[in-house]
């Protein structure tokens, strides 16, 4: 029951942060402006309507995508516990994955605060490529190949915080004091993350 509550809270917070960001950062206006440069005036409204529909579909997909992601991570952690001869039910591992996922709400909030209070003049491209405390911030995005963006965005303070928090939850659940959780998290989640990032890079590279 606790996992269901965590999952529901995660979905609701993800939805509201997205909606708040869209309202305060005028994202729809930026999208409309961007479309105006790409399409003839008579087609802009139709294209924008389709974009709005896809936004709604995206919100409906939030629970599905979060469920798939957290279940997959729970499965990956399960492989790690197996190799370290530890036993945790998939339900407990999913609970750990759900609790750790709340870490990724922090950069979303920081992004909202950054553009609302600090960088008040921005474009849609700025919003799309900004990720707080990531390696991407040390590069000029316009000069980077597209397939560099995702890995540089992924390597961030919050990714390390996520792994560290997940390791802490594993140790707490296993009642271990020998940093077994760190070993499990780094030996299972990290390889899976590298495979995922490499897959995204490959897909982007083949589309450019």
């Amino acid at each position: 029951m606790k996992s269901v509550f965590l999952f529901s809270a995660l979905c609701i917070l993800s939805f509201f942060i997205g909606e708040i960001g869209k309202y305060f950062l005028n994202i729809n206006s930026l999208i409309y402006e961007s479309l105006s440069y790409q399409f003839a005036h008579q087609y802009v409204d139709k294209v924008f309507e389709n974009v709005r529909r896809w936004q709604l579909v995206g919100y409906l997909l939030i629970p599905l995508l979060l469920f798939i992601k957290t279940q997959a991570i729970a499965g990956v952690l399960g492989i790690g516990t197996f190799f370290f001869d530890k036993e945790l039910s998939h339900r407990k591992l999913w609970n750990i994955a759900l609790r750790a996922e709340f870490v990724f709400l922090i950069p979303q909030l920081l992004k909202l605060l950054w553009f609302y209070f600090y960088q008040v003049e921005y474009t849609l491209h700025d919003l799309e490529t900004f990720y707080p405390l990531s390696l991407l911030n040390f590069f000029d995005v316009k000069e980077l190949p597209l397939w560099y963006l995702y890995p540089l965005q992924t390597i961030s303070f919050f990714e390390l915080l996520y792994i560290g928090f997940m390791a802490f939850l594993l140790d707490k659940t296993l009642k271990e004091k020998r940093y077994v959780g760190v070993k499990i998290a780094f030996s299972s989640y990290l390889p899976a993350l590298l495979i995922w990032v490499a897959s995204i890079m490959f897909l982007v590279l083949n589309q450019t």
Side-chain angles (χ1 to χ4, degrees), residues 17-181:
I17 291 174
E19 279 295 296
I20 291 170
K22 190 168 65 177
Y23 175 77
F24 282 103
L25 301 181
N26 297 314
I27 291 176
N28 282 339
S29 296
L30 292 174
I31 293 174
Y32 191 90
E33 183 181 341
S34 176
L35 291 173
S36 299
Y37 289 110
Q38 300 176 51
F39 299 95
H41 181 72
Q42 61 267 31
Y43 297 115
V44 172
D45 288 334
K46 290 183 179 180
V47 176
F48 184 71
E49 286 180 13
N50 289 329
V51 171
R52 290 285 293 143
R53 290 194 191 98
W54 279 110
Q55 284 180 339
L56 295 175
V57 171
Y59 285 135
L60 293 175
L61 287 176
I62 286 176
L64 177 61
L65 295 176
L66 285 174
F67 180 80
I68 292 173
K69 180 184 178 182
T70 52
Q71 286 285 349
I73 291 172
V76 167
L77 294 178
I79 296 172
T81 56
F82 173 79
F83 281 112
F84 281 89
D85 199 26
K86 303 296 178 181
E87 288 189 12
L88 280 179
S89 66
H90 185 78
R91 180 180 59 82
K92 289 183 178 180
L93 291 170
W94 187 43
N95 185 275
I96 289 171
L98 285 170
R99 291 165 73 181
E101 191 66 25
F102 281 88
V103 168
F104 289 127
L105 296 180
I106 302 173
Q108 295 182 42
L109 287 171
L110 290 178
K111 183 175 183 176
L112 169 60
L113 295 173
W114 175 270
F115 285 107
Y116 188 73
F117 290 106
Y118 183 71
Q119 188 178 337
V120 294
E121 293 185 6
Y122 49 85
T123 64
L124 186 62
H125 184 262
D126 294 330
L127 291 176
E128 291 174 341
T129 56
F130 180 80
Y131 194 88
L133 301 179
S134 72
L135 281 185
L136 190 61
N137 295 329
F138 295 97
F139 296 88
D140 185 350
V141 175
K142 295 178 181 178
E143 295 183 359
L144 288 173
L146 287 177
W147 58 285
Y148 275 35
L149 299 184
Y150 186 73
L152 290 175
Q153 182 189 77
T154 301
I155 303 172
S156 68
F157 167 77
F158 293 104
E159 194 68 49
L160 292 175
L161 182 62
Y162 173 77
I163 298 174
F165 186 45
M166 193 157 51
F168 167 77
L169 294 174
L170 283 166
D171 274 335
K172 185 178 179 181
T173 306
L174 289 167
K175 298 179 180 179
E176 294 281 353
K177 298 180 180 180
R178 295 173 295 175
Y179 302 104
V180 174

